[in-house]
Amino acid sequence: MKRTGILHAELSGALATLGHTDLLLVVDAGFPVPRDAHRIDLALTENVPDLRTVLGLIADELVVEGVVRAEHVPSHHPRLDSWLHERFAGAEFTTRPHADVLGRLAHEAKVVVRTGAFEPWGNIGLYCGVDAPRWFGGEGVVVPEEYASRI
């Protein structure tokens, strides 16, 4: 039996398939998940599980180098935005129009994880990164400029 981390078999397995630059979307209960998406539906009832719990557990298992959210999050949901910046410190943050998050990003995502969140703009994209010290910390390895600050 697995001791720690994410116990949900499908989610745990999907996370293991992600590589550098892959996009994972963690979305609210009302998100229009595309029919052809790799959808992992965790929603049980209103706010179970909630967005922050799912994002936090995923953050413990992935290297995240980028976070994308709807352009209204910083101004219309600053508590969520602040939490994201704390939880994903060191990641590059970007915004996109809400329609792009619901459309284009949903089709680009390798995995879409649906939560039970009833939270405005509760759709967050995570771009996978690499553990720079593990990849570039070997003897004689030249560290690319974009990763030097992470070593």
Side-chain angles (χ1 to χ4, degrees):
M1 178 176 163
K2 189 175 178 189
R3 253 181 227 260
T4 63
I6 293 173
L7 300 177
H8 189 279
E10 186 180 3
L11 180 54
S12 182
L15 295 178
T17 71
L18 297 172
H20 190 208
T21 74
D22 281 340
L23 174 64
L24 168 83
L25 277 180
V26 180
V27 302
D28 62 27
F31 191 87
V33 179
R35 286 188 186 135
D36 61 344
H38 181 174
R39 172 192 185 126
I40 299 174
D41 198 334
L42 304 178
L44 295 175
T45 190
E46 184 176 335
N47 292 315
V48 178
D50 66 278
L51 184 68
R52 286 168 184 79
T53 297
V54 174
L55 282 168
L57 290 167
I58 289 172
D60 289 342
E61 300 213 8
L62 289 183
V63 176
V64 175
E65 70 179 23
V67 177
V68 60
R69 68 264 194 247
E71 63 190 352
H72 293 304
V73 172
S75 60
H76 290 60
H77 201 342
R79 291 178 80 188
L80 174 59
D81 200 52
S82 177
W83 184 89
L84 290 168
H85 278 277
E86 288 174 21
R87 191 62 179 93
F88 297 100
E92 179 183 339
F93 280 76
T94 58
T95 60
R96 299 277 287 270
H98 188 64
D100 277 2
V101 174
L102 297 178
R104 180 174 290 146
L105 278 180
H107 289 282
E108 292 174 10
K110 189 168 183 180
V111 179
V112 178
V113 179
R114 181 174 173 252
T115 70
F118 277 48
E119 185 161 4
W121 304 286
N123 308 303
I124 308 300
L126 305 175
Y127 286 100
C128 296
V130 296
D131 185 341
R134 293 176 102 178
W135 282 96
F136 302 112
E139 188 175 324
V141 175
V142 176
V143 180
E145 188 175 316
E146 62 267 25
Y147 292 104
S149 66
R150 300 181 199 177
I151 300 292

